Amino acid sequence: NGAHDASKAFEALVSPAEIAERLRLDLWALAGLCEAATRGLRKPNRDKAESALGALRAYLQYFHGVSYQLLRYRDYDPVDRLAALVGETETVPEDEAQRAALANELHRFSEVARALSSEVARRADLASVPLDRGEVKALVARFRGGHAPVDDA
């Protein structure tokens, strides 16, 4: 099977520690982008909320192509639900109650993403490797058009 051979070749090139570190970084950035969208939705400025939601949407595409496959099977469901929620939200809701509900859902997911990142950090491969917050900020900034406030990462 060619796919199996490619998978084995990839595993030979990338260590389990590197894989775990990538997943931890990407989950932490996902949490930061969820929080940025949460804050945007809780403020009256629609443009900032749209921008933050667009950054989260773009990041989810990146995440699905890179780190999604690194998740444990049981962790797919919350990420799938987030992707569906963000995908179904074409624009920021006009209704304040709907905006608040969306903000609350994104905030809850940011907590889930941070918890998943913490689980990854407890793996033996990463037990003594600190999270590179500078790398998290750079990743968040890449999807927010170069703007990653300190509290987002």
Side-chain angles (χ1 to χ4, degrees), residues 53-87:
L53 199 55
L56 178 57
R57 189 176 291 112
Y59 187 80
L60 280 167
Q61 290 177 334
Y62 157 84
F63 185 86
H64 201 274
V66 177
S67 288
Y68 182 82
Q69 292 78 14
L70 305 176
L71 292 170
R72 293 180 178 165
Y73 178 76
R74 67 185 168 111
D75 299 329
Y76 286 144
D77 185 57
V79 175
D80 290 344
R81 284 183 306 183
L82 173 68
L85 176 67
V86 172

PDB file of all heavy atoms in Angstrom, residues 53-87:
ATOM      1  N   LEU A  53     -13.074  36.439  12.930  1.00  0.00           N
ATOM      2  CA  LEU A  53     -13.752  35.219  12.499  1.00  0.00           C
ATOM      3  C   LEU A  53     -13.128  34.687  11.210  1.00  0.00           C
ATOM      4  O   LEU A  53     -12.932  33.480  11.055  1.00  0.00           O
ATOM      5  CB  LEU A  53     -15.245  35.494  12.311  1.00  0.00           C
ATOM      6  CG  LEU A  53     -16.175  34.310  12.300  1.00  0.00           C
ATOM      7  CD1 LEU A  53     -16.032  33.451  13.544  1.00  0.00           C
ATOM      8  CD2 LEU A  53     -17.621  34.782  12.145  1.00  0.00           C
ATOM      9  N   GLY A  54     -12.765  35.584  10.300  1.00  0.00           N
ATOM     10  CA  GLY A  54     -12.093  35.176   9.057  1.00  0.00           C
ATOM     11  C   GLY A  54     -10.732  34.548   9.330  1.00  0.00           C
ATOM     12  O   GLY A  54     -10.348  33.567   8.691  1.00  0.00           O
ATOM     13  N   ALA A  55      -9.994  35.116  10.301  1.00  0.00           N
ATOM     14  CA  ALA A  55      -8.691  34.549  10.665  1.00  0.00           C
ATOM     15  C   ALA A  55      -8.866  33.150  11.241  1.00  0.00           C
ATOM     16  O   ALA A  55      -8.102  32.234  10.911  1.00  0.00           O
ATOM     17  CB  ALA A  55      -7.983  35.458  11.667  1.00  0.00           C
ATOM     18  N   LEU A  56      -9.886  32.970  12.076  1.00  0.00           N
ATOM     19  CA  LEU A  56     -10.154  31.655  12.655  1.00  0.00           C
ATOM     20  C   LEU A  56     -10.550  30.665  11.564  1.00  0.00           C
ATOM     21  O   LEU A  56     -10.081  29.522  11.556  1.00  0.00           O
ATOM     22  CB  LEU A  56     -11.261  31.763  13.715  1.00  0.00           C
ATOM     23  CG  LEU A  56     -11.698  30.467  14.379  1.00  0.00           C
ATOM     24  CD1 LEU A  56     -10.523  29.751  15.042  1.00  0.00           C
ATOM     25  CD2 LEU A  56     -12.802  30.753  15.394  1.00  0.00           C
ATOM     26  N   ARG A  57     -11.376  31.107  10.637  1.00  0.00           N
ATOM     27  CA  ARG A  57     -11.791  30.240   9.528  1.00  0.00           C
ATOM     28  C   ARG A  57     -10.565  29.782   8.715  1.00  0.00           C
ATOM     29  O   ARG A  57     -10.422  28.600   8.399  1.00  0.00           O
ATOM     30  CB  ARG A  57     -12.777  30.992   8.636  1.00  0.00           C
ATOM     31  CG  ARG A  57     -13.435  30.154   7.580  1.00  0.00           C
ATOM     32  CD  ARG A  57     -14.489  30.936   6.790  1.00  0.00           C
ATOM     33  NE  ARG A  57     -15.641  31.249   7.630  1.00  0.00           N
ATOM     34  CZ  ARG A  57     -15.975  32.479   8.028  1.00  0.00           C
ATOM     35  NH1 ARG A  57     -15.245  33.515   7.668  1.00  0.00           N
ATOM     36  NH2 ARG A  57     -17.041  32.666   8.787  1.00  0.00           N
ATOM     37  N   ALA A  58      -9.684  30.715   8.387  1.00  0.00           N
ATOM     38  CA  ALA A  58      -8.476  30.383   7.619  1.00  0.00           C
ATOM     39  C   ALA A  58      -7.571  29.448   8.412  1.00  0.00           C
ATOM     40  O   ALA A  58      -6.993  28.495   7.866  1.00  0.00           O
ATOM     41  CB  ALA A  58      -7.725  31.662   7.241  1.00  0.00           C
ATOM     42  N   TYR A  59      -7.445  29.699   9.709  1.00  0.00           N
ATOM     43  CA  TYR A  59      -6.593  28.854  10.539  1.00  0.00           C
ATOM     44  C   TYR A  59      -7.128  27.435  10.620  1.00  0.00           C
ATOM     45  O   TYR A  59      -6.362  26.474  10.611  1.00  0.00           O
ATOM     46  CB  TYR A  59      -6.435  29.444  11.949  1.00  0.00           C
ATOM     47  CG  TYR A  59      -5.422  28.668  12.744  1.00  0.00           C
ATOM     48  CD1 TYR A  59      -4.063  28.891  12.570  1.00  0.00           C
ATOM     49  CD2 TYR A  59      -5.817  27.665  13.614  1.00  0.00           C
ATOM     50  CE1 TYR A  59      -3.124  28.157  13.261  1.00  0.00           C
ATOM     51  CE2 TYR A  59      -4.884  26.921  14.314  1.00  0.00           C
ATOM     52  CZ  TYR A  59      -3.540  27.168  14.128  1.00  0.00           C
ATOM     53  OH  TYR A  59      -2.618  26.421  14.797  1.00  0.00           O
ATOM     54  N   LEU A  60      -8.445  27.306  10.703  1.00  0.00           N
ATOM     55  CA  LEU A  60      -9.029  25.962  10.761  1.00  0.00           C
ATOM     56  C   LEU A  60      -8.700  25.167   9.497  1.00  0.00           C
ATOM     57  O   LEU A  60      -8.469  23.961   9.573  1.00  0.00           O
ATOM     58  CB  LEU A  60     -10.538  26.038  10.978  1.00  0.00           C
ATOM     59  CG  LEU A  60     -10.942  26.281  12.426  1.00  0.00           C
ATOM     60  CD1 LEU A  60     -12.417  26.670  12.508  1.00  0.00           C
ATOM     61  CD2 LEU A  60     -10.656  25.059  13.278  1.00  0.00           C
ATOM     62  N   GLN A  61      -8.648  25.832   8.354  1.00  0.00           N
ATOM     63  CA  GLN A  61      -8.243  25.141   7.118  1.00  0.00           C
ATOM     64  C   GLN A  61      -6.793  24.675   7.228  1.00  0.00           C
ATOM     65  O   GLN A  61      -6.465  23.550   6.861  1.00  0.00           O
ATOM     66  CB  GLN A  61      -8.430  26.050   5.912  1.00  0.00           C
ATOM     67  CG  GLN A  61      -9.883  26.296   5.582  1.00  0.00           C
ATOM     68  CD  GLN A  61     -10.055  27.265   4.432  1.00  0.00           C
ATOM     69  OE1 GLN A  61      -9.190  28.105   4.168  1.00  0.00           O
ATOM     70  NE2 GLN A  61     -11.179  27.159   3.762  1.00  0.00           N
ATOM     71  N   TYR A  62      -5.930  25.556   7.709  1.00  0.00           N
ATOM     72  CA  TYR A  62      -4.528  25.196   7.926  1.00  0.00           C
ATOM     73  C   TYR A  62      -4.422  24.032   8.913  1.00  0.00           C
ATOM     74  O   TYR A  62      -3.728  23.047   8.668  1.00  0.00           O
ATOM     75  CB  TYR A  62      -3.761  26.422   8.451  1.00  0.00           C
ATOM     76  CG  TYR A  62      -2.501  26.083   9.211  1.00  0.00           C
ATOM     77  CD1 TYR A  62      -1.311  25.838   8.535  1.00  0.00           C
ATOM     78  CD2 TYR A  62      -2.507  25.998  10.603  1.00  0.00           C
ATOM     79  CE1 TYR A  62      -0.152  25.516   9.239  1.00  0.00           C
ATOM     80  CE2 TYR A  62      -1.358  25.684  11.302  1.00  0.00           C
ATOM     81  CZ  TYR A  62      -0.191  25.436  10.621  1.00  0.00           C
ATOM     82  OH  TYR A  62       0.943  25.119  11.322  1.00  0.00           O
ATOM     83  N   PHE A  63      -5.128  24.146  10.036  1.00  0.00           N
ATOM     84  CA  PHE A  63      -5.071  23.129  11.081  1.00  0.00           C
ATOM     85  C   PHE A  63      -5.530  21.779  10.530  1.00  0.00           C
ATOM     86  O   PHE A  63      -4.919  20.744  10.816  1.00  0.00           O
ATOM     87  CB  PHE A  63      -5.952  23.539  12.269  1.00  0.00           C
ATOM     88  CG  PHE A  63      -5.860  22.602  13.438  1.00  0.00           C
ATOM     89  CD1 PHE A  63      -4.874  22.758  14.387  1.00  0.00           C
ATOM     90  CD2 PHE A  63      -6.761  21.561  13.584  1.00  0.00           C
ATOM     91  CE1 PHE A  63      -4.775  21.894  15.475  1.00  0.00           C
ATOM     92  CE2 PHE A  63      -6.678  20.685  14.662  1.00  0.00           C
ATOM     93  CZ  PHE A  63      -5.681  20.852  15.608  1.00  0.00           C
ATOM     94  N   HIS A  64      -6.589  21.792   9.761  1.00  0.00           N
ATOM     95  CA  HIS A  64      -7.110  20.539   9.214  1.00  0.00           C
ATOM     96  C   HIS A  64      -6.078  19.881   8.294  1.00  0.00           C
ATOM     97  O   HIS A  64      -5.961  18.655   8.265  1.00  0.00           O
ATOM     98  CB  HIS A  64      -8.422  20.775   8.472  1.00  0.00           C
ATOM     99  CG  HIS A  64      -9.226  19.534   8.330  1.00  0.00           C
ATOM    100  ND1 HIS A  64      -9.052  18.645   7.294  1.00  0.00           N
ATOM    101  CD2 HIS A  64     -10.194  19.003   9.118  1.00  0.00           C
ATOM    102  CE1 HIS A  64      -9.877  17.636   7.445  1.00  0.00           C
ATOM    103  NE2 HIS A  64     -10.583  17.821   8.539  1.00  0.00           N
ATOM    104  N   GLY A  65      -5.305  20.674   7.592  1.00  0.00           N
ATOM    105  CA  GLY A  65      -4.302  20.129   6.686  1.00  0.00           C
ATOM    106  C   GLY A  65      -3.023  19.696   7.369  1.00  0.00           C
ATOM    107  O   GLY A  65      -2.253  18.913   6.813  1.00  0.00           O
ATOM    108  N   VAL A  66      -2.779  20.190   8.572  1.00  0.00           N
ATOM    109  CA  VAL A  66      -1.514  19.903   9.245  1.00  0.00           C
ATOM    110  C   VAL A  66      -1.716  19.045  10.500  1.00  0.00           C
ATOM    111  O   VAL A  66      -1.324  17.887  10.549  1.00  0.00           O
ATOM    112  CB  VAL A  66      -0.766  21.214   9.614  1.00  0.00           C
ATOM    113  CG1 VAL A  66       0.504  20.925  10.378  1.00  0.00           C
ATOM    114  CG2 VAL A  66      -0.455  22.017   8.355  1.00  0.00           C
ATOM    115  N   SER A  67      -2.330  19.609  11.504  1.00  0.00           N
ATOM    116  CA  SER A  67      -2.353  18.959  12.821  1.00  0.00           C
ATOM    117  C   SER A  67      -3.579  18.102  13.099  1.00  0.00           C
ATOM    118  O   SER A  67      -3.557  17.298  14.024  1.00  0.00           O
ATOM    119  CB  SER A  67      -2.221  20.012  13.922  1.00  0.00           C
ATOM    120  OG  SER A  67      -0.900  20.497  13.927  1.00  0.00           O
ATOM    121  N   TYR A  68      -4.624  18.270  12.342  1.00  0.00           N
ATOM    122  CA  TYR A  68      -5.845  17.496  12.590  1.00  0.00           C
ATOM    123  C   TYR A  68      -5.546  15.998  12.618  1.00  0.00           C
ATOM    124  O   TYR A  68      -6.031  15.277  13.483  1.00  0.00           O
ATOM    125  CB  TYR A  68      -6.883  17.830  11.518  1.00  0.00           C
ATOM    126  CG  TYR A  68      -8.208  17.142  11.694  1.00  0.00           C
ATOM    127  CD1 TYR A  68      -9.159  17.651  12.572  1.00  0.00           C
ATOM    128  CD2 TYR A  68      -8.522  15.994  10.977  1.00  0.00           C
ATOM    129  CE1 TYR A  68     -10.383  17.029  12.730  1.00  0.00           C
ATOM    130  CE2 TYR A  68      -9.743  15.369  11.134  1.00  0.00           C
ATOM    131  CZ  TYR A  68     -10.668  15.891  12.010  1.00  0.00           C
ATOM    132  OH  TYR A  68     -11.881  15.266  12.171  1.00  0.00           O
ATOM    133  N   GLN A  69      -4.710  15.541  11.697  1.00  0.00           N
ATOM    134  CA  GLN A  69      -4.372  14.120  11.620  1.00  0.00           C
ATOM    135  C   GLN A  69      -3.558  13.652  12.819  1.00  0.00           C
ATOM    136  O   GLN A  69      -3.435  12.460  13.059  1.00  0.00           O
ATOM    137  CB  GLN A  69      -3.599  13.811  10.326  1.00  0.00           C
ATOM    138  CG  GLN A  69      -4.406  13.962   9.068  1.00  0.00           C
ATOM    139  CD  GLN A  69      -4.597  15.406   8.633  1.00  0.00           C
ATOM    140  OE1 GLN A  69      -3.934  16.309   9.101  1.00  0.00           O
ATOM    141  NE2 GLN A  69      -5.535  15.620   7.731  1.00  0.00           N
ATOM    142  N   LEU A  70      -2.990  14.577  13.561  1.00  0.00           N
ATOM    143  CA  LEU A  70      -2.171  14.232  14.724  1.00  0.00           C
ATOM    144  C   LEU A  70      -2.995  14.089  16.005  1.00  0.00           C
ATOM    145  O   LEU A  70      -2.481  13.629  17.020  1.00  0.00           O
ATOM    146  CB  LEU A  70      -1.080  15.293  14.940  1.00  0.00           C
ATOM    147  CG  LEU A  70      -0.171  15.575  13.747  1.00  0.00           C
ATOM    148  CD1 LEU A  70       0.796  16.705  14.075  1.00  0.00           C
ATOM    149  CD2 LEU A  70       0.558  14.329  13.305  1.00  0.00           C
ATOM    150  N   LEU A  71      -4.269  14.488  15.937  1.00  0.00           N
ATOM    151  CA  LEU A  71      -5.140  14.369  17.105  1.00  0.00           C
ATOM    152  C   LEU A  71      -5.430  12.908  17.412  1.00  0.00           C
ATOM    153  O   LEU A  71      -5.379  12.055  16.532  1.00  0.00           O
ATOM    154  CB  LEU A  71      -6.479  15.073  16.848  1.00  0.00           C
ATOM    155  CG  LEU A  71      -6.458  16.587  16.736  1.00  0.00           C
ATOM    156  CD1 LEU A  71      -7.806  17.085  16.236  1.00  0.00           C
ATOM    157  CD2 LEU A  71      -6.110  17.221  18.072  1.00  0.00           C
ATOM    158  N   ARG A  72      -5.773  12.650  18.644  1.00  0.00           N
ATOM    159  CA  ARG A  72      -6.265  11.323  19.006  1.00  0.00           C
ATOM    160  C   ARG A  72      -7.708  11.228  18.529  1.00  0.00           C
ATOM    161  O   ARG A  72      -8.419  12.230  18.451  1.00  0.00           O
ATOM    162  CB  ARG A  72      -6.180  11.130  20.516  1.00  0.00           C
ATOM    163  CG  ARG A  72      -4.743  11.091  20.970  1.00  0.00           C
ATOM    164  CD  ARG A  72      -4.632  10.911  22.446  1.00  0.00           C
ATOM    165  NE  ARG A  72      -3.218  10.829  22.787  1.00  0.00           N
ATOM    166  CZ  ARG A  72      -2.751  10.961  23.999  1.00  0.00           C
ATOM    167  NH1 ARG A  72      -3.556  11.177  25.008  1.00  0.00           N
ATOM    168  NH2 ARG A  72      -1.463  10.879  24.214  1.00  0.00           N
ATOM    169  N   TYR A  73      -8.140  10.024  18.263  1.00  0.00           N
ATOM    170  CA  TYR A  73      -9.485   9.814  17.720  1.00  0.00           C
ATOM    171  C   TYR A  73     -10.558  10.510  18.552  1.00  0.00           C
ATOM    172  O   TYR A  73     -11.442  11.177  18.024  1.00  0.00           O
ATOM    173  CB  TYR A  73      -9.776   8.310  17.617  1.00  0.00           C
ATOM    174  CG  TYR A  73     -11.146   8.017  17.104  1.00  0.00           C
ATOM    175  CD1 TYR A  73     -11.437   8.158  15.747  1.00  0.00           C
ATOM    176  CD2 TYR A  73     -12.160   7.629  17.970  1.00  0.00           C
ATOM    177  CE1 TYR A  73     -12.709   7.913  15.275  1.00  0.00           C
ATOM    178  CE2 TYR A  73     -13.435   7.384  17.500  1.00  0.00           C
ATOM    179  CZ  TYR A  73     -13.707   7.523  16.149  1.00  0.00           C
ATOM    180  OH  TYR A  73     -14.971   7.293  15.682  1.00  0.00           O
ATOM    181  N   ARG A  74     -10.455  10.428  19.844  1.00  0.00           N
ATOM    182  CA  ARG A  74     -11.471  11.010  20.727  1.00  0.00           C
ATOM    183  C   ARG A  74     -11.494  12.531  20.670  1.00  0.00           C
ATOM    184  O   ARG A  74     -12.460  13.158  21.104  1.00  0.00           O
ATOM    185  CB  ARG A  74     -11.254  10.550  22.166  1.00  0.00           C
ATOM    186  CG  ARG A  74      -9.975  11.097  22.767  1.00  0.00           C
ATOM    187  CD  ARG A  74      -9.719  10.517  24.155  1.00  0.00           C
ATOM    188  NE  ARG A  74      -8.373  10.824  24.567  1.00  0.00           N
ATOM    189  CZ  ARG A  74      -8.072  11.656  25.544  1.00  0.00           C
ATOM    190  NH1 ARG A  74      -9.023  12.239  26.222  1.00  0.00           N
ATOM    191  NH2 ARG A  74      -6.818  11.878  25.851  1.00  0.00           N
ATOM    192  N   ASP A  75     -10.437  13.141  20.141  1.00  0.00           N
ATOM    193  CA  ASP A  75     -10.356  14.601  20.084  1.00  0.00           C
ATOM    194  C   ASP A  75     -10.867  15.183  18.770  1.00  0.00           C
ATOM    195  O   ASP A  75     -10.931  16.406  18.629  1.00  0.00           O
ATOM    196  CB  ASP A  75      -8.915  15.047  20.331  1.00  0.00           C
ATOM    197  CG  ASP A  75      -8.414  14.619  21.701  1.00  0.00           C
ATOM    198  OD1 ASP A  75      -9.246  14.544  22.635  1.00  0.00           O
ATOM    199  OD2 ASP A  75      -7.210  14.343  21.836  1.00  0.00           O
ATOM    200  N   TYR A  76     -11.213  14.326  17.825  1.00  0.00           N
ATOM    201  CA  TYR A  76     -11.734  14.827  16.551  1.00  0.00           C
ATOM    202  C   TYR A  76     -13.062  15.563  16.721  1.00  0.00           C
ATOM    203  O   TYR A  76     -13.304  16.590  16.099  1.00  0.00           O
ATOM    204  CB  TYR A  76     -11.950  13.691  15.551  1.00  0.00           C
ATOM    205  CG  TYR A  76     -10.691  13.119  14.952  1.00  0.00           C
ATOM    206  CD1 TYR A  76     -10.607  11.765  14.679  1.00  0.00           C
ATOM    207  CD2 TYR A  76      -9.605  13.912  14.638  1.00  0.00           C
ATOM    208  CE1 TYR A  76      -9.470  11.214  14.122  1.00  0.00           C
ATOM    209  CE2 TYR A  76      -8.457  13.373  14.089  1.00  0.00           C
ATOM    210  CZ  TYR A  76      -8.396  12.025  13.828  1.00  0.00           C
ATOM    211  OH  TYR A  76      -7.270  11.490  13.276  1.00  0.00           O
ATOM    212  N   ASP A  77     -13.954  15.021  17.546  1.00  0.00           N
ATOM    213  CA  ASP A  77     -15.308  15.561  17.650  1.00  0.00           C
ATOM    214  C   ASP A  77     -15.359  17.045  18.004  1.00  0.00           C
ATOM    215  O   ASP A  77     -16.031  17.806  17.305  1.00  0.00           O
ATOM    216  CB  ASP A  77     -16.148  14.728  18.625  1.00  0.00           C
ATOM    217  CG  ASP A  77     -17.583  15.198  18.652  1.00  0.00           C
ATOM    218  OD1 ASP A  77     -18.221  15.218  17.577  1.00  0.00           O
ATOM    219  OD2 ASP A  77     -18.071  15.548  19.744  1.00  0.00           O
ATOM    220  N   PRO A  78     -14.674  17.511  19.049  1.00  0.00           N
ATOM    221  CA  PRO A  78     -14.778  18.949  19.341  1.00  0.00           C
ATOM    222  C   PRO A  78     -14.215  19.823  18.223  1.00  0.00           C
ATOM    223  O   PRO A  78     -14.768  20.891  17.934  1.00  0.00           O
ATOM    224  CB  PRO A  78     -13.989  19.132  20.639  1.00  0.00           C
ATOM    225  CG  PRO A  78     -13.301  17.858  20.914  1.00  0.00           C
ATOM    226  CD  PRO A  78     -13.899  16.804  20.055  1.00  0.00           C
ATOM    227  N   VAL A  79     -13.160  19.370  17.574  1.00  0.00           N
ATOM    228  CA  VAL A  79     -12.587  20.152  16.479  1.00  0.00           C
ATOM    229  C   VAL A  79     -13.550  20.149  15.285  1.00  0.00           C
ATOM    230  O   VAL A  79     -13.744  21.187  14.638  1.00  0.00           O
ATOM    231  CB  VAL A  79     -11.195  19.614  16.079  1.00  0.00           C
ATOM    232  CG1 VAL A  79     -10.649  20.340  14.857  1.00  0.00           C
ATOM    233  CG2 VAL A  79     -10.228  19.748  17.252  1.00  0.00           C
ATOM    234  N   ASP A  80     -14.177  19.017  15.023  1.00  0.00           N
ATOM    235  CA  ASP A  80     -15.163  18.944  13.948  1.00  0.00           C
ATOM    236  C   ASP A  80     -16.351  19.866  14.226  1.00  0.00           C
ATOM    237  O   ASP A  80     -16.852  20.542  13.316  1.00  0.00           O
ATOM    238  CB  ASP A  80     -15.661  17.511  13.758  1.00  0.00           C
ATOM    239  CG  ASP A  80     -14.608  16.593  13.163  1.00  0.00           C
ATOM    240  OD1 ASP A  80     -13.601  17.092  12.610  1.00  0.00           O
ATOM    241  OD2 ASP A  80     -14.791  15.358  13.270  1.00  0.00           O
ATOM    242  N   ARG A  81     -16.792  19.908  15.471  1.00  0.00           N
ATOM    243  CA  ARG A  81     -17.911  20.793  15.821  1.00  0.00           C
ATOM    244  C   ARG A  81     -17.525  22.254  15.659  1.00  0.00           C
ATOM    245  O   ARG A  81     -18.325  23.066  15.183  1.00  0.00           O
ATOM    246  CB  ARG A  81     -18.393  20.519  17.240  1.00  0.00           C
ATOM    247  CG  ARG A  81     -19.227  19.250  17.332  1.00  0.00           C
ATOM    248  CD  ARG A  81     -19.736  19.055  18.716  1.00  0.00           C
ATOM    249  NE  ARG A  81     -18.547  19.114  19.575  1.00  0.00           N
ATOM    250  CZ  ARG A  81     -18.521  18.928  20.861  1.00  0.00           C
ATOM    251  NH1 ARG A  81     -19.598  18.714  21.508  1.00  0.00           N
ATOM    252  NH2 ARG A  81     -17.411  18.966  21.544  1.00  0.00           N
ATOM    253  N   LEU A  82     -16.310  22.618  16.060  1.00  0.00           N
ATOM    254  CA  LEU A  82     -15.846  23.992  15.882  1.00  0.00           C
ATOM    255  C   LEU A  82     -15.801  24.340  14.400  1.00  0.00           C
ATOM    256  O   LEU A  82     -16.270  25.400  13.985  1.00  0.00           O
ATOM    257  CB  LEU A  82     -14.465  24.194  16.511  1.00  0.00           C
ATOM    258  CG  LEU A  82     -13.840  25.566  16.229  1.00  0.00           C
ATOM    259  CD1 LEU A  82     -14.617  26.676  16.926  1.00  0.00           C
ATOM    260  CD2 LEU A  82     -12.392  25.578  16.655  1.00  0.00           C
ATOM    261  N   ALA A  83     -15.225  23.449  13.589  1.00  0.00           N
ATOM    262  CA  ALA A  83     -15.129  23.705  12.156  1.00  0.00           C
ATOM    263  C   ALA A  83     -16.523  23.882  11.539  1.00  0.00           C
ATOM    264  O   ALA A  83     -16.729  24.765  10.701  1.00  0.00           O
ATOM    265  CB  ALA A  83     -14.375  22.578  11.462  1.00  0.00           C
ATOM    266  N   ALA A  84     -17.480  23.066  11.963  1.00  0.00           N
ATOM    267  CA  ALA A  84     -18.847  23.183  11.450  1.00  0.00           C
ATOM    268  C   ALA A  84     -19.459  24.516  11.874  1.00  0.00           C
ATOM    269  O   ALA A  84     -20.079  25.214  11.056  1.00  0.00           O
ATOM    270  CB  ALA A  84     -19.696  22.015  11.940  1.00  0.00           C
ATOM    271  N   LEU A  85     -19.285  24.892  13.137  1.00  0.00           N
ATOM    272  CA  LEU A  85     -19.831  26.145  13.643  1.00  0.00           C
ATOM    273  C   LEU A  85     -19.271  27.338  12.873  1.00  0.00           C
ATOM    274  O   LEU A  85     -20.011  28.206  12.407  1.00  0.00           O
ATOM    275  CB  LEU A  85     -19.523  26.289  15.133  1.00  0.00           C
ATOM    276  CG  LEU A  85     -19.949  27.595  15.798  1.00  0.00           C
ATOM    277  CD1 LEU A  85     -21.467  27.704  15.841  1.00  0.00           C
ATOM    278  CD2 LEU A  85     -19.364  27.680  17.199  1.00  0.00           C
ATOM    279  N   VAL A  86     -17.957  27.369  12.725  1.00  0.00           N
ATOM    280  CA  VAL A  86     -17.316  28.482  12.033  1.00  0.00           C
ATOM    281  C   VAL A  86     -17.672  28.453  10.542  1.00  0.00           C
ATOM    282  O   VAL A  86     -17.935  29.491   9.933  1.00  0.00           O
ATOM    283  CB  VAL A  86     -15.789  28.463  12.251  1.00  0.00           C
ATOM    284  CG1 VAL A  86     -15.086  29.494  11.389  1.00  0.00           C
ATOM    285  CG2 VAL A  86     -15.477  28.706  13.725  1.00  0.00           C
ATOM    286  N   GLY A  87     -17.722  27.262   9.958  1.00  0.00           N
ATOM    287  CA  GLY A  87     -18.080  27.142   8.550  1.00  0.00           C
ATOM    288  C   GLY A  87     -19.499  27.577   8.250  1.00  0.00           C
ATOM    289  O   GLY A  87     -19.777  28.139   7.187  1.00  0.00           O
TER     290      GLY A  87
END
